[in-house]
Amino acid sequence: MRKPIKNLHLSVLPPGGKVRVSSPLHMKDDVIRSLIATRIPWIRKQRAKFEAQARQMPREYISGETHYVLGRPHRLEVVYESRPPSATVKGKNRIILQVRGNSTPVRREEVLMEWYRSELRRISEELLEAWQKRIGVAVRSWGIKRMKTRWGTCNQKAGRIWLNLELIKKPMACIEYVVVHELLHLIEKKHNQRFVDLMTKHLPRWRSSREELNRFMLSHEEWSY
C-alpha cells in the first residue's frame, strides 16, 4: 500500500501473521522488496509470538497463573477469606488476590479487573494532568474501558478520551504514549504529517513505544502513528 509517508512501515498482523507493507509514493518496487528481505528474521519472530499466544489456556484466575502489571510478569496467589475481596501487589512479582471461598472464576476476574482499573486510573490521572499542561489542551471527560481493537480513542468534538483497560499490563512508556497520542488528537484529528510532527515534538521516542504495543495486538488493526 502506497501512502504519502516518508518511510517504509512493515507490520505483522495477528492471528495468522499476515505481513502488511506501507511505502512512500515514490519508493520503487525493487527497493521495497530489498527492505522487506532484511526484515525476514523479525517477521518470523513476530509470527512465532502469535503462535505462542494462540496456545495459551483460558484464564481461571487461580494460584500459579502469570498476569502482567506495567509490562512485568507477576505470579497470582489466590487467598480465600471471609472478607471483602481485594487485590494487591506484594514484593516485586506477586499479585495477592483475596476472595471469598465460594468465588467463581468470573468473580475472581472481576476483582482483579477492578484492581487493574483503579491502578490504571491513578497512573492515567497523573499523566493526563501533566501532559495537558505541556501540550496546551484540556479534555472535558475521560474514562477507562475494555476495547477489542483500540488502545485508546478520542472524540475531538466532544473532547472525550477513552483508554483501554489492557494498558495497565503494558510498560509505563506505552501508557504515556497512548495518553499523548489521544491528547494530540484534540489538536489534529487525522494521522497525517502534522500529527506525526506533533508526536515527535512532544514524545521523540514514540515509535519504540508504538512497536511495543504492536507486538501484542488486540485485533487485526494496528497503530500506524
Side-chain angles (χ1 to χ4, degrees):
M1 182 183 300
R2 296 184 185 278
K3 296 181 178 181
I5 54 179
K6 291 183 178 180
N7 301 305
L8 185 81
H9 294 287
L10 184 65
S11 305
V12 181
L13 307 181
K18 180 180 178 180
V19 177
R20 183 166 70 187
V21 180
S22 299
S23 67
L25 297 173
H26 64 276
M27 187 172 286
K28 296 181 179 180
D29 290 345
D30 57 342
V31 175
I32 295 173
R33 285 193 290 268
S34 296
L35 289 172
I36 293 173
T38 64
R39 301 302 302 276
I40 288 177
W42 177 82
I43 292 171
R44 290 173 177 167
K45 183 178 180 181
Q46 301 311 305
R47 285 177 169 173
K49 287 181 179 179
F50 294 148
E51 291 174 1
Q53 286 179 316
R55 292 193 293 268
Q56 288 182 353
M57 296 298 292
R59 299 292 191 178
E60 297 182 52
Y61 298 90
I62 57 177
S63 293
E65 286 184 347
T66 298
H67 293 263
Y68 281 77
V69 182
L70 297 179
R72 298 182 61 181
H74 287 64
R75 184 179 184 277
L76 186 67
E77 294 186 16
V78 181
V79 177
Y80 296 96
E81 298 281 354
S82 297
R83 291 185 291 177
S86 65
T88 185
V89 169
K90 187 173 183 179
K92 294 183 178 180
N93 59 359
R94 286 193 297 162
I95 299 175
I96 307 300
L97 180 63
Q98 180 183 292
V99 293
R100 299 186 188 277
N102 60 351
S103 69
T104 63
V106 171
R107 179 54 181 155
R108 293 193 291 274
E109 179 184 15
E110 289 175 348
V111 175
L112 186 59
M113 291 304 109
E114 284 305 310
W115 177 75
Y116 270 149
R117 185 181 299 275
S118 65
E119 289 297 295
L120 182 57
R121 178 167 293 278
R122 176 181 59 80
I123 292 168
S124 300
E125 282 179 347
E126 295 176 359
L127 289 173
L128 282 165
E129 182 179 357
W131 277 103
Q132 284 180 92
K133 293 178 180 177
R134 292 174 66 175
I135 296 173
V137 296
V139 295
R140 295 192 185 97
S141 64
W142 69 279
I144 297 169
K145 62 181 178 180
R146 301 179 84 172
M147 293 182 278
K148 293 183 178 180
T149 61
R150 291 287 185 270
W151 294 111
T153 64
C154 175
N155 185 317
Q156 187 186 57
K157 186 176 180 179
R160 180 175 62 248
I161 286 174
W162 286 101
L163 301 175
N164 195 323
L165 179 59
E166 291 294 303
L167 282 171
I168 190 60
K169 301 176 184 179
K170 307 304 177 185
M172 183 69 77
C174 293
I175 302 175
E176 185 174 42
Y177 161 66
V178 175
V179 167
V180 174
H181 182 282
E182 300 307 333
L183 286 175
L184 287 176
H185 274 312
L186 295 174
I187 300 174
E188 176 53 61
K189 185 177 182 179
K190 297 181 179 180
H191 286 150
N192 53 24
Q193 189 58 50
R194 182 190 182 206
F195 184 83
V196 174
D197 292 342
L198 286 168
M199 284 295 302
T200 303
K201 173 184 176 181
H202 292 286
L203 207 63
R205 300 188 65 184
W206 63 270
R207 286 182 175 84
S208 62
S209 296
R210 180 194 62 185
E211 291 176 3
E212 177 73 17
L213 282 172
N214 282 340
R215 290 192 188 106
F216 303 97
M217 298 303 297
L218 293 170
S219 185
H220 291 259
E221 301 184 30
E222 72 152 350
W223 280 39
S224 297
Y225 298 104

